[in-house]
Amino acid sequence: MRHRAAVLTSVLGAFVAGCGGESGGGPTGPTEGNLEIIASTTGSALDPDGYALWVDAGAPQPLPANGADTVASLSPGSHTVSVAGVAPNCLLDGDNPRNVDIAAASITSLHLDIACSEPQTSISVGASTTGEDLDPDGYQVAVDGGTSQALSINGSVLIDGLTPGDHAVALSGVADNCAIAEQNPRTVTAVSGRTANAAFSVSCSPIPLAAPGWDIVFKATVSDTDEGDVYFLSADGTTLTNLTNDPDYDACPAWSPDGHTIAFCSRRTGTMSVYVMNADGSGLTQLTSGSFSTGPSWSPDGTRIAFTRATGSATEDIFLMNPDGSALTQLTSSGHAGNPVWSPDGTRIAFSVAGGFASDIYIMNADGTDVIQLTTEAGRDAATGWSLDGTKIYFVSDRNGGEVLLPYAMNPDGTGVTQLTFGTSSVPFPVWSPDGSKIAFSTGDRLYMMNPDGTERVPLTASWHSVGSPAWRP
């Protein structure tokens, strides 16, 4: 019996010894537990080499993308499990690292869910533009024929959400006088986890000056010390004449309806005032004095001039006077009205009212009665003229956001607002030619002309230090 008892004890000892100590086995003893970690990876483009995991500060162990591993001989209590090696296009659900409670003499299971998607990458497309007469409204860029995005002439745009591999990057909207140095479209190889670059170099050649077709006057400066003068450009573009030639500020010219007289504003007496002169610059006559006065606008019959006049240290309103400066009459009293423009029949005046950094367009009868607000959009709205038949009011606005002023048209009751041109460059205070077929405007240093829809944009003058306030001769 004694011999049989010894054998049984030996067998039991061997059995107990064989119940623990190897990865993947059961509990190693009454005071230790095992952790089974199960990975489930779904989606597309699964992680090709699996993951790495470790518990607390232990050595890392491999974990397949879809499979399990067991960490044995863990003491009861809380342990920290960390997972690494997850591909950038895959996402591990839940916290990482995370805490797991281990119970003695048991197996605890931890499920890890990883979702993968097609890898994403991006391409940064840049443009560098040099030369003269640079593209005025920027470019468009598209990848693989997708939706185009705006690209400034010297800037960049990031196009993301792309799969790794080769992509066709195309630049469009380049002006006829500009050329792209690189192949267009061009193939760009995008790698997962990195941003590829596609740089386009654009060079622009000077555009020949165009003849305006009608005589036109404008304000210009030749240097930063020049206050500005009123210049005359002939209809055929061959004659350019300084009409005012005065050391002080001269600007805002406006033709009389018969084309014989030009009203303008000047600071030559110390205070901005309204003057008139003959079409050749002779016969200078001062019409206003005392209060700051600017922005003269002739009535269609030539019998009155509307203009903006200061009514206080920080207020201004619209006034009327005869062409000789007599019969001064105040039309508005808001304290922030200006920029009057007459309707073709002379019965109404559109004007702007400013408030802070915004302004809106109003309309009133020529005697100042029946004032109606036409625009209420946030930003700046300023009337610039009327259509020949009086059915439209032209204005500029930055209502689309940013600092870009673009031309619009609307009905005289404020309805039917239509944007006329598009782009990333401002078209400040455009003026329509006598037959309505052209728009003259300034980009700051040059005078340009274009069709009302923004096409066939051509320069009328060479570059100046500054150019503005164009006005067509009737």
Side-chain angles (χ1 to χ4, degrees):
M1 289 292 295
R2 228 180 258 149
H3 173 73
R4 292 179 61 194
V7 172
L8 178 61
T9 300
S10 176
V11 171
L12 288 173
F15 175 78
V16 171
C19 291
E22 293 185 8
S23 177
T28 60
T31 60
E32 294 181 330
N34 289 348
L35 175 61
E36 182 185 38
I37 302 173
I38 304 168
S40 175
T41 305
T42 59
S44 56
L46 305 189
D47 198 303
D49 54 4
Y51 316 115
L53 69 90
W54 63 94
V55 178
D56 299 326
Q61 296 181 211
L63 178 66
N66 284 289
D69 194 13
T70 300
V71 180
S73 303
L74 296 175
S75 60
S78 180
H79 293 266
T80 301
V81 178
S82 302
V83 179
V86 179
N89 64 303
C90 300
L91 180 64
L92 172 63
D93 185 40
D95 296 332
N96 186 35
R98 69 187 69 188
N99 293 327
V100 178
D101 292 328
I102 301 298
S106 67
I107 297 176
T108 301
S109 295
L110 172 62
H111 291 268
L112 299 176
D113 295 317
I114 302 100
C116 299
S117 59
E118 285 293 333
Q120 300 284 293
T121 186
S122 58
I123 298 176
S124 177
V125 184
S128 175
T129 306
T130 58
E132 296 184 49
D133 292 328
L134 307 187
D135 196 298
D137 55 4
Y139 313 126
Q140 296 288 318
V141 62
V143 174
D144 299 329
T147 303
S148 296
Q149 297 190 39
L151 175 63
S152 60
I153 62 173
N154 287 293
S156 63
V157 62
L158 182 68
I159 301 178
D160 53 16
L162 304 174
T163 57
D166 291 342
H167 296 274
V169 181
L171 191 68
S172 60
V174 180
D176 292 339
N177 66 304
C178 301
I180 303 171
E182 296 79 10
Q183 181 179 355
N184 184 43
R186 58 188 301 187
T187 300
V188 177
T189 302
V191 179
S192 179
R194 291 189 293 174
T195 298
N197 293 296
F200 289 94
S201 301
V202 183
S203 60
C204 300
S205 303
I207 301 175
L209 299 183
W214 293 266
D215 294 339
I216 195 168
V217 290
F218 58 95
K219 174 257 184 182
T221 63
V222 297
S223 69
D224 56 4
T225 59
D226 180 20
E227 291 286 340
D229 284 296
V230 175
Y231 288 80
F232 169 91
L233 179 64
S234 62
D236 60 7
T238 61
T239 302
L240 181 65
T241 306
N242 186 338
L243 298 181
T244 55
N245 200 23
D246 187 85
D248 273 303
Y249 182 88
D250 298 322
C252 53
W255 287 97
S256 62
D258 62 9
H260 295 158
T261 306
I262 301 170
F264 68 102
C265 56
S266 176
R267 201 169 49 224
R268 62 185 61 200
T269 59
T271 300
M272 190 72 75
S273 302
V274 176
Y275 291 74
V276 291
M277 62 181 171
N278 295 329
D280 61 0
S282 65
L284 181 67
T285 303
Q286 184 174 351
L287 301 186
T288 68
S289 61
S291 297
F292 179 97
S293 301
T294 188
S297 176
W298 292 82
S299 64
D301 62 4
T303 62
R304 291 167 295 174
I305 297 175
F307 64 101
T308 304
R309 182 180 178 91
T311 54
S313 59
T315 58
E316 58 186 22
D317 276 293
I318 296 174
F319 285 73
L320 275 183
M321 64 181 172
N322 293 333
D324 61 1
S326 63
L328 186 66
T329 305
Q330 184 172 347
L331 295 185
T332 65
S333 57
S334 70
H336 301 285
N339 192 40
V341 287
W342 293 81
S343 63
D345 62 4
T347 62
R348 291 174 294 178
I349 297 174
F351 62 99
S352 302
V353 174
F357 295 100
S359 61
D360 285 300
I361 299 172
Y362 290 69
I363 193 171
M364 63 182 172
N365 292 333
D367 61 2
T369 61
D370 197 19
V371 177
I372 301 172
Q373 184 174 353
L374 300 184
T375 65
T376 58
E377 294 283 338
R380 296 172 294 169
D381 293 332
T384 62
W386 293 68
S387 62
L388 296 177
D389 59 6
T391 61
K392 298 291 182 182
I393 295 174
Y394 299 127
F395 67 101
V396 291
S397 177
D398 61 0
R399 59 182 57 202
N400 279 343
E403 297 297 320
V404 178
L405 284 170
L406 294 175
Y408 293 76
M410 65 179 171
N411 299 326
D413 61 0
T415 62
V417 175
T418 303
Q419 186 172 340
L420 300 179
T421 68
F422 299 83
T424 58
S425 299
S426 287
V427 184
F429 293 93
V431 289
W432 272 252
S433 61
D435 68 350
S437 65
K438 297 293 182 182
I439 296 175
F441 64 99
S442 166
T443 58
D445 62 349
R446 298 186 78 172
L447 199 63
Y448 282 84
M449 178 176 68
M450 65 181 177
N451 294 332
D453 62 0
T455 60
E456 296 185 20
R457 175 179 173 138
V458 292
L460 299 178
T461 67
S463 295
W464 297 65
H465 184 265
S466 69
V467 176
S469 305
W472 301 91
R473 189 174 197 168

